[in-house]
């Protein structure tokens, strides 16, 4: 699986670091692994469903942990969602984290005709969910755009519910099918490949989410590895539908194997 690789797609939370209220902590060996990838000449994209901060703030946090990363190297859902909103003349009601709102600064939000939902964390109150529900249920053809569909993720103090659980609640209540912009959407991975200039058969995705990272990448023809860090659980190795090309203990181990093949 490690042969003929020109580009790597790296998930961030659970692969590079574990997030948390204190900002999070790097996973052992991950800072050095990113440095080695860049020194090798391999193309690199950081592929995240992070929707609790703007890319600028998110990247600054990672740089503070020692990671060599820039905003231009990050593929994230919010900018893609903004492009869709503008192309389709959609005006969103936002159910997102307060720190993500600046990403939508240039989008018209008056008289909403759709709902955009992200990982709103503490903003996922009954009142806020009900307000989004009322916007959708009042439309003849409701439009729900979700910045991902993850079920849960890991922070330093344990597992946390992700946006997918709340997306499903609105889908059920409003009899609507959400349009997913982040992983595992095919468009997300295709954008990352295009930004690298690498075809799918020459890329490898490394993630901790068996469905959204591994399954999503494989459906695009990309080889995919699951790390045993982040949200990984042993039961993932018996998943009925998704089988990674390999399991690795962490990013550092994956990079060791890949660079040996160059």
């Amino acid at each position: 699986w490690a042969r003929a690789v020109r580009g790597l797609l790296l998930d961030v939370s659970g692969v590079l670091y574990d997030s948390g209220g204190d900002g999070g902590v790097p996973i052992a060996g991950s800072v050095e692994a990113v440095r080695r990838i860049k020194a090798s000449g391999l193309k690199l994209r950081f592929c995240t469903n992070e929707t609790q901060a703007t890319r600028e703030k998110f990247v600054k946090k990672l740089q503070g942990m020692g990671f060599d990363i820039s905003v231009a190297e990050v593929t994230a859902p919010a900018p893609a969602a903004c492009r869709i909103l503008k192309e389709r003349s959609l005006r969103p009601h936002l159910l997102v984290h307060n720190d993500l709102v600046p990403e939508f600064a240039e989008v018209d939000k008056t008289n909403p005709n759709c709902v955009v939902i992200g990982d709103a964390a503490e903003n996922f109150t009954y009142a806020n969910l009900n307000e989004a529900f009322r916007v959708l249920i009042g439309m003849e053809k409701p439009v729900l755009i979700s910045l991902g569909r993850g079920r849960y993720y890991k922070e330093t103090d344990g597992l946390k519910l992700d946006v997918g659980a709340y997306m499903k609640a609105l889908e059920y209540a409003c009899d609507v099918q959400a349009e997913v912009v982040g992983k595992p959407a095919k468009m997300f991975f295709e954008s990352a490949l295009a930004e690298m200039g690498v075809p799918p058969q020459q890329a490898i995705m490394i993630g901790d989410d068996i469905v959204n990272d591994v399954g999503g990448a494989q459906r695009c023809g990309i080889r995919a590895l699951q790390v045993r860090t982040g949200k990984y659980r042993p039961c993932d190795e018996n998943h009925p539908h998704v089988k990674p090309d390999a399991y690795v203990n962490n990013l550092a181990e994956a990079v060791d194997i890949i660079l040996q093949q160059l």
Side-chain angles (χ1 to χ4, degrees):
W1 58 262
R3 296 180 185 276
V5 179
R6 286 181 51 215
L8 297 180
L9 309 175
L10 302 186
D11 180 31
V12 178
S13 179
V15 174
L16 301 188
Y17 83 115
D18 283 325
S19 59
D22 54 356
V25 294
I27 292 169
S30 59
V31 172
E32 176 67 9
V34 170
R35 188 196 65 76
R36 292 179 67 203
I37 293 168
K38 292 199 167 186
S40 74
L42 287 170
K43 299 288 185 71
L44 177 62
R45 293 298 296 178
F46 298 93
C47 297
T48 180
N49 271 5
E50 169 65 44
T51 56
Q52 287 195 13
T54 61
R55 282 178 301 164
E56 287 77 9
K57 188 173 181 179
F58 180 57
V59 164
K60 189 173 181 180
K61 178 175 74 171
L62 290 170
Q63 289 171 340
M65 294 180 189
F67 288 102
D68 180 1
I69 181 174
S70 67
V71 173
E73 296 172 309
V74 176
T75 302
C82 287
R83 287 195 296 273
I84 291 170
L85 293 169
K86 289 179 179 180
E87 287 168 4
R88 292 163 56 182
S89 299
L90 291 171
R91 302 179 304 277
H93 169 83
L94 298 177
L95 179 50
V96 300
H97 196 282
N98 291 340
D99 290 344
L100 190 70
V101 172
E103 289 272 19
F104 297 88
E106 297 181 10
V107 174
D108 182 5
K109 295 178 281 291
T110 59
N111 190 25
N113 58 1
C114 73
V115 168
V116 172
I117 184 172
D119 182 9
E122 283 74 19
N123 280 352
F124 279 136
T125 63
Y126 175 80
N128 288 343
L129 277 165
N130 199 53
E131 189 176 359
F133 160 75
R134 285 176 171 173
V135 171
L136 290 170
I137 205 70
M139 299 178 192
E140 186 177 340
K141 294 181 179 179
V143 176
L144 173 61
I145 296 173
S146 185
L147 308 180
R149 70 172 194 199
R151 294 182 297 156
Y152 55 86
Y153 57 94
K154 185 183 179 186
E155 289 197 340
T156 50
D157 62 347
L159 298 177
K160 301 288 179 75
L161 274 176
D162 204 349
V163 61
Y166 303 95
M167 176 197 85
K168 286 292 184 183
L170 290 175
E171 282 187 331
Y172 176 70
C174 302
D175 194 22
V176 61
Q177 184 78 39
E179 301 175 39
V180 179
V181 176
K183 295 177 289 186
K186 193 173 183 181
M187 181 179 67
F188 182 95
F189 290 101
E190 289 173 344
S191 294
L193 290 170
E195 287 156 358
M196 287 198 301
V198 172
Q201 63 271 21
Q202 293 181 344
I204 291 179
M205 173 73 198
I206 303 174
D208 68 328
D209 188 314
I210 185 73
V211 173
N212 294 323
D213 294 335
V214 176
Q218 287 179 331
R219 283 195 295 275
C220 294
I222 303 168
R223 283 166 281 175
L225 313 182
Q226 187 178 19
V227 291
R228 295 187 177 102
T229 56
K231 70 194 293 185
Y232 163 85
R233 295 190 297 163
C235 63
D236 290 344
E237 302 199 21
N238 298 312
H239 195 279
H241 307 299
V242 183
K243 303 296 178 190
D245 290 86
Y247 292 94
V248 289
N249 288 320
N250 49 46
L251 176 61
E253 182 181 300
V255 171
D256 280 342
I257 296 168
I258 291 166
L259 295 188
Q260 287 169 13
Q261 297 294 326
L262 293 182

